[in-house]
């Protein structure tokens, strides 16, 4: 079943669509992180200001090095020792849609091991946008049943996995600069 869902999601994403899918933390809305038009669909659906950037999921070091000019050594140490999903905000991204890059030329990324996301990106050969499945300013849904009809109806495909799972929590967020500054944004 997971392989069929990966296929279905991939077909939608490669055509510039947006999907609703389970991540390693909570349910997210996503698309190809290099497709500016698809990203704009997500901003519109969430009624979110473009000034508020979204994070990007990646499935390994190769993808990370394809998106960042430099990755501080401490980034790998944090990822190795993190006991829960951790989003890192890193400087100077490349090969990514411009609207995902924050004003300070940084990008939030999270490496995932969760099978659906990992294998979908393996098939896409590109990073995947991930933003909570809610209208901007509303609480993040803890389970699929809490996702609003407006969000469900607004995406091009809803992945049919993990719909019963509850209690997902957003990731920790840590900002790392190339000059070795570390700032914890969310624990």
């Amino acid at each position: 079943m997971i392989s069929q869902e990966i296929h279905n999601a991939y077909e939608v994403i490669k055509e510039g669509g947006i999907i609703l899918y389970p991540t390693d933390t909570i349910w997210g809305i996503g698309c190809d992180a290099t497709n500016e038009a698809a990203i704009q669909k997500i901003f519109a659906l969430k009624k979110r200001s473009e000034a508020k950037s979204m994070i990007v999921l990646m499935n390994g070091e190769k993808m990370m090095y394809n998106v960042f000019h430099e990755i501080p050594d401490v980034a790998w140490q944090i990822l190795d020792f993190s006991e829960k999903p951790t989003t890192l905000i890193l400087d100077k991204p490349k090969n990514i849609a411009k609207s995902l890059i924050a004003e300070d030329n940084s990008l939030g990324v999270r490496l995932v091991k969760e099978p659906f996301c990992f294998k979908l990106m393996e098939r896409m050969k590109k990073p995947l946008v991930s933003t909570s499945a809610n209208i901007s300013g509303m609480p993040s849904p803890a389970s699929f049943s809490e996702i609003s009809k407006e969000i469900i109806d607004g995406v091009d495909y809803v992945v049919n996995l993990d719909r019963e799972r509850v209690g997902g929590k957003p990731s920790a967020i840590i900002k790392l600069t190339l000059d070795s500054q570390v700032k914890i944004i969310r624990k």
Side-chain angles (χ1 to χ4, degrees):
M1 184 160 147
I2 189 171
S3 60
Q4 185 62 50
E5 289 301 313
I6 290 165
H7 173 78
N8 295 348
Y10 172 74
E11 291 299 317
V12 168
I13 287 171
K14 81 175 187 185
E15 297 300 323
I18 62 176
I19 64 169
L20 180 61
Y21 66 104
T23 74
D24 54 337
T25 55
I26 60 176
W27 274 80
I29 303 169
C31 67
D32 171 352
T34 66
N35 185 324
E36 194 67 56
I39 292 161
Q40 293 307 315
K41 288 182 193 176
I42 294 176
F43 277 118
L45 175 60
K46 285 184 62 86
K47 301 176 179 148
R48 182 181 180 122
S49 159
E50 282 189 51
K52 290 187 75 180
S53 47
M54 296 184 278
I55 72 160
V56 175
L57 301 181
M58 298 187 188
N59 68 356
E61 281 185 42
K62 183 178 178 186
M63 201 174 275
M64 289 276 287
Y65 281 111
N66 189 45
V67 174
F68 291 99
H69 293 280
E70 269 182 81
I71 301 171
D73 289 339
V74 71
W76 301 115
Q77 293 167 351
I78 289 169
L79 293 172
D80 285 345
F81 293 108
S82 293
E83 293 181 10
K84 68 182 218 172
T86 301
T87 298
L88 298 178
I89 300 173
L90 302 173
D91 290 336
K92 296 185 180 177
K94 61 183 180 175
N95 302 326
I96 208 87
K98 298 281 184 243
S99 63
L100 293 173
I101 300 171
E103 285 181 18
D104 67 354
N105 197 23
S106 67
L107 175 70
V109 297
R110 187 166 74 246
L111 283 178
V112 294
K113 295 179 178 94
E114 186 278 326
F116 173 79
C117 294
F118 187 92
K119 289 177 179 164
L120 176 59
M121 286 182 281
E122 205 169 63
R123 178 101 185 257
M124 293 168 57
K125 299 185 179 12
K126 295 179 184 175
L128 182 66
V129 169
S130 183
T131 183
S132 56
N134 60 321
I135 302 297
S136 195
M138 301 299 287
S140 297
S143 65
F144 182 83
S145 63
E146 293 179 14
I147 300 171
S148 74
K149 183 173 176 4
E150 184 175 0
I151 293 290
I152 292 170
D153 291 347
V155 299
D156 299 304
Y157 185 70
V158 178
V159 173
N160 191 19
L161 295 171
D162 281 345
R163 291 198 180 174
E164 302 305 314
R165 185 181 63 161
V166 294
K169 292 186 171 136
S171 66
I173 302 175
I174 301 171
K175 182 168 177 52
L176 301 176
T177 61
L178 290 175
D179 61 357
S180 301
Q181 293 182 42
V182 177
K183 181 179 181 186
I184 298 174
I185 310 253
R186 181 173 65 203
K187 289 184 180 184

